[in-house]
Amino acid sequence: MTRPPRSRRAMAAAALTAALLLTPSAAFGATDEPDLDQTLDELEVVHGQRVLDVGHVDMGPKFDDGAWRFLIHDDVARADADATSVWRYPDETVLHVIDSARLTVPDDPAYAFIGADAGSEVYVVPQTQNPDVVWLGWNTQDPEVMQTIDRGITLSLTGVQGPGVVTTYLQSGSFGDPQLLWDSRVTEPQPVWVDVNTHTHANWVFTEPGVYLLELTAEADLIDGSHVSDAQRIRFAVGSATSPDDALAESWSGQTAQDAPSAGAEAGSDTGHGTGDVSQDALGPVAIVAIVVASAAIVVVVVALVRGSRLRRRVLAERTAGSRDIREAPGGGGE
């Protein structure tokens, strides 16, 4: 997607923009953000309906009884030491984005991709935690996942159903340009590469209240040479007046990116608890996260979200030696 070029602004205007729309991380990928430091243990996968309107939440792959699944990490232990964090099934979980998430769109062409007029209100799940709003990100830190995937996964937005526009983007510091990851108006799959041992949060913007279903597909090559994939629909109830029960009951009636003729993928991927079949040709091996206009040419910037380089070197070395015990991250401090 191409957005209007960003003009040079005075520092005061940039500061106002940042204050109005988001509270960004100090560095791209948030590698120095202490709230993102975590090491996951083997956590239980549980059934049962659950509404999450505050607190830390990650999506990510996990092996559930030996099967590759894309699940939701309900990290309640981060806020309550007496609670136990678990993994949950997306079709039993609702992310409730309540009215505390409402922010005003700044008068800045850098945010034209949001799809809402300057001065209007949108619902924002921010990249840096707002304690009054659910904090949504993704990770590739399940111990078995880190032992078995070949360097990372491809995480793709493959379909969106809802009353408004949804965009997901990253931003570096207070004055960095937003880097668009996903846009609900794009009909093709939108892949993002996520390296092993990554924990990332982004800005999620919804232009209208209501029920949204976002279909996300996680796939990976494993070190044994096999390929795994799972597509799940993440349920959002946006706005305090939107019932989470309606989000739980919502059925899919739209077209997925895999179904679209331009996507080149077969329809009918399994989006329940089973593994989905997603065309690798449609997804591609890289993540397109920003479009930069320079010298009258469009340069596709491929961004790999890299965390824990020392651990990855150790992982690869131990794989070569045949070791599969990598459960302790150097310098880590798990929640």
Side-chain angles (χ1 to χ4, degrees):
M1 176 180 177
T2 303
R3 60 172 174 79
R6 189 177 191 180
S7 60
R8 187 176 298 275
R9 303 187 306 278
M11 184 168 292
L16 177 61
T17 295
L20 284 174
L21 185 62
L22 54 97
T23 308
S25 297
F28 184 79
T31 54
D32 297 323
E33 175 62 56
D35 285 343
L36 294 181
D37 290 341
Q38 69 175 8
T39 301
L40 297 188
D41 297 323
E42 285 287 358
L43 302 177
E44 185 181 6
V45 182
V46 300
H47 280 286
Q49 294 182 356
R50 171 79 160 152
V51 177
L52 300 168
D53 55 11
V54 293
H56 179 244
V57 180
D58 288 333
M59 303 173 292
K62 179 175 174 59
F63 287 93
D64 180 21
D65 290 333
W68 175 268
R69 302 284 187 251
F70 186 65
L71 302 176
I72 294 176
H73 173 223
D74 181 3
D75 193 16
V76 292
R78 181 178 288 254
D80 182 358
D82 294 328
T84 301
S85 297
V86 296
W87 290 92
R88 297 185 178 275
Y89 294 103
D91 59 356
E92 299 173 355
T93 307
V94 174
L95 300 168
H96 196 187
V97 184
I98 57 178
D99 289 349
S100 299
R102 289 185 298 186
L103 293 174
T104 301
V105 179
D107 186 8
D108 185 336
Y111 299 98
F113 67 85
I114 286 173
D117 294 335
S120 62
E121 283 193 332
V122 293
Y123 294 80
V124 180
V125 176
Q127 183 172 331
T128 296
Q129 186 172 19
N130 175 350
D132 298 324
V133 177
V134 65
W135 190 31
L136 178 63
W138 56 85
N139 76 67
T140 52
Q141 295 179 309
D142 175 76
E144 188 175 1
V145 166
M146 289 202 298
Q147 292 169 5
T148 56
I149 62 175
D150 186 6
R151 293 179 173 80
I153 72 168
T154 300
L155 181 60
S156 303
L157 180 68
T158 50
V160 177
Q161 178 176 299
V165 175
V166 185
T167 51
T168 306
Y169 69 95
L170 294 168
Q171 187 140 17
S172 174
S174 298
F175 310 116
D177 283 333
Q179 298 190 3
L180 184 63
L181 300 180
W182 295 319
D183 184 335
S184 64
R185 294 161 292 188
V186 176
T187 58
E188 293 82 14
Q190 300 170 69
V192 172
W193 173 258
V194 186
D195 211 345
V196 66
N197 193 37
T198 291
H199 178 209
T200 299
H201 283 253
N203 303 286
W204 305 75
V205 183
F206 302 83
T207 61
E208 301 290 342
V211 172
Y212 293 79
L213 301 183
L214 273 63
E215 183 176 84
L216 291 167
T217 300
E219 62 174 339
D221 293 322
L222 304 186
I223 59 175
D224 65 5
S226 63
H227 184 81
V228 290
S229 178
D230 188 30
Q232 295 288 338
R233 286 159 187 163
I234 311 301
R235 298 172 179 270
F236 292 84
V238 177
S240 295
T242 301
S243 170
D245 289 338
D246 290 343
L248 281 169
E250 184 77 1
S251 59
W252 184 261
S253 59
Q255 186 181 58
T256 68
Q258 296 102 307
D259 298 331
S262 59
E266 294 184 359
S269 65
D270 181 0
T271 56
H273 289 164
T275 299
D277 181 12
V278 181
S279 167
Q280 282 187 277
D281 291 337
L283 289 170
V286 297
I288 302 173
V289 299
I291 299 177
V292 179
V293 179
S295 304
I298 298 178
V299 180
V300 178
V301 180
V302 180
V303 178
L305 305 178
V306 179
R307 285 180 51 83
S309 59
R310 286 189 299 168
L311 175 60
R312 286 191 297 279
R313 289 196 297 269
R314 177 183 169 194
V315 169
L316 295 175
E318 291 188 354
R319 285 174 180 170
T320 302
S323 172
R324 301 175 65 86
D325 183 12
I326 56 167
R327 296 175 184 265
E328 181 181 358
E335 293 293 333

